[in-house]
């Protein structure tokens, strides 16, 4: 039994570790469909997946660990476009995000992950590094646009991508209404206009008035 | 004892109900400072506030109810500007939001509320109606701008204000970094440019591609 010596992300494709992981994540998704995050337990996931509960605890520690890994796994399938222009790249990516979170269970999943992060520092770290990695990857879209001369060189790629994602998370977590097609159009149009207006330029001259200035 | 017959929000200013409410909300805030939402219990709030725990359960039902009411109470103090131009109104409001959530305990509070909403339908309803009410009030800023001819008449006021708030909640809940002054400047600049570009126009012609189209 070598599974215990693998880090959660370190799977051998097609091996037993990978099969265990897929069975467990599929079970988590089904449990979330059935009862939501509030009713998710390690025992239910063990029962549904056929994986021993001790293995779950050893590898994922808690339900927070499970939902974070599920989000990472599913979101990796959202493709990063390269259409040749940034406004079109933004539109395509916004539509992918909209389609992803348009499924109610994906909205419930991100809600579960944010909720997990509020209570568990390790879940918070997983969430933060997951989005950091995605932003760096997606930032390539903006760096290409800068090279093409579509945006000023001082544009911060991660800020642009954060701004594209923000309306979706606001809709899901704060407004608590379904993500829809109109939101994707609005988000893409808004970010393009704002980026052109220099809203996401790196600024060394930002005025300091809040109690926690400058974390960038 | 008439307290039990009052709805949570229905306080007589200066009366015993109002004093109870203030004592309880102050205790909740202190408890959140001390141990965060994860460690918040009705019993701790009762002990700190000196209000009987049965009163807490009768009036707020659960810790979720307590944190939602605290957020409503505190956010009501964020003023809605009327400077004469929308870009300046947006900037002033963004700075207020930034100052509000720049306090770490306010970030923890919104995190607690969103987390509560994920597990408790009544907390979700409170959160949603709170933000709906704030958006309608703040929408006045945008309606005045439309009257002044600053924005096209088809601009959706609630969409503009949602877009102003979205980056703050993304920063707190998703990026998990402190809200700062630069974010307020970026958010205000972005929303103004996007609104001028028509990103928040009410649209009947939005393409329908997601699985949950058109909730507006």
């Amino acid at each position: 039994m070598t599974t215990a010596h693998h880090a959660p992300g370190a799977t051998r494709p097609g091996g037993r570790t990978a099969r265990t992981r897929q069975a467990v994540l599929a079970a988590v998704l089904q449990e979330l469909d059935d009862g939501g995050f509030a009713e998710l337990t390690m025992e239910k996931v063990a029962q549904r997946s056929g994986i021993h509960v001790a293995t779950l605890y050893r590898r994922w520690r808690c339900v927070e660990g499970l939902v974070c890994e599920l989000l990472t796994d599913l979101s990796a399938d959202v493709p990063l476009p390269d259409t040749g222009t940034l406004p079109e790249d933004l539109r395509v990516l916004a539509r992918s995000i909209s389609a992803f979170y348009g499924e109610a269970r994906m909205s419930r999943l991100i809600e579960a992950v944010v909720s997990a992060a509020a209570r568990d520092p390790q879940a918070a770290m997983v969430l933060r590094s997951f989005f950091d990695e995605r932003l760096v990857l997606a930032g390539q879209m903006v760096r290409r646009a800068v090279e093409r001369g579509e945006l000023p060189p001082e544009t911060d790629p991660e800020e642009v991508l954060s701004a594209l994602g923000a309306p979706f998370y606001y809709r899901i977590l704060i407004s608590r209404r379904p993500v829809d097609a109109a939101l994707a159009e609005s988000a893409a149009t808004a970010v393009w206009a704002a980026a052109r207006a220099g809203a996401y330029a790196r600024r060394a001259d930002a005025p300091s008035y809040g109690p926690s200035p400058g974390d960038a």
Side-chain angles (χ1 to χ4, degrees), chain A:
Chain A
M1 187 69 186
T2 59
T3 316
H5 303 293
H6 283 273
T11 55
R12 290 170 286 128
R16 187 168 59 181
T17 305
R19 283 197 307 274
T20 298
R21 184 171 177 276
Q22 282 315 311
V24 168
L25 296 186
V28 173
L29 194 55
Q30 286 166 341
E31 285 296 329
L32 285 175
D33 279 350
D34 282 5
F37 182 61
E39 292 176 27
L40 189 68
T41 65
M42 295 298 250
E43 288 67 26
K44 283 183 186 170
V45 175
Q47 201 156 42
R48 199 187 275 259
S49 65
I51 306 296
H52 200 282
V53 72
T55 306
L56 298 189
Y57 276 108
R58 196 166 51 232
R59 191 152 155 202
W60 286 279
R61 220 171 52 92
C62 54
V63 289
E64 281 78 7
L66 283 174
V67 292
C68 286
E69 183 150 348
L70 178 59
L71 179 73
T72 309
D73 195 67
L74 292 171
S75 316
D77 293 339
V78 174
L80 295 174
D82 183 8
T83 64
T85 75
L86 184 60
E88 189 56 20
D89 279 358
L90 291 170
R91 185 157 288 111
V92 172
L93 181 56
R95 285 175 182 171
S96 297
I97 300 173
S98 171
F100 184 77
Y101 286 123
E103 283 191 58
R105 64 183 188 174
M106 294 307 169
S107 290
R108 282 202 299 272
L109 178 60
I110 185 68
E111 196 179 53
V113 169
V114 168
S115 170
R119 279 172 298 150
D120 181 66
Q122 191 170 325
M125 215 177 58
V126 171
L127 176 63
R128 179 172 153 158
S129 29
F130 166 68
F131 276 95
D132 280 356
E133 279 170 35
R134 283 288 294 179
L135 282 183
V136 170
L137 273 179
Q140 195 52 39
M141 273 170 46
V142 178
R143 285 184 283 273
R144 285 194 304 259
V146 169
E147 281 164 26
R148 286 190 301 256
E150 289 181 286
L151 287 181
E154 65 272 21
T155 308
D156 185 323
E158 281 79 31
E159 284 302 306
V160 175
L161 273 304
S162 296
L164 188 72
F168 295 97
Y169 299 97
Y170 185 90
R171 179 71 69 90
I172 296 166
L173 300 169
I174 304 290
S175 307
R176 310 193 64 78
R177 293 191 164 78
V179 162
D180 61 12
L183 186 63
E185 296 304 312
S186 164
T189 306
V191 167
W192 172 241
R196 298 277 288 179
Y200 312 120
R202 288 186 192 86
R203 55 183 88 201
D205 62 323
S208 172
Y209 43 78
S212 61
D215 68 342

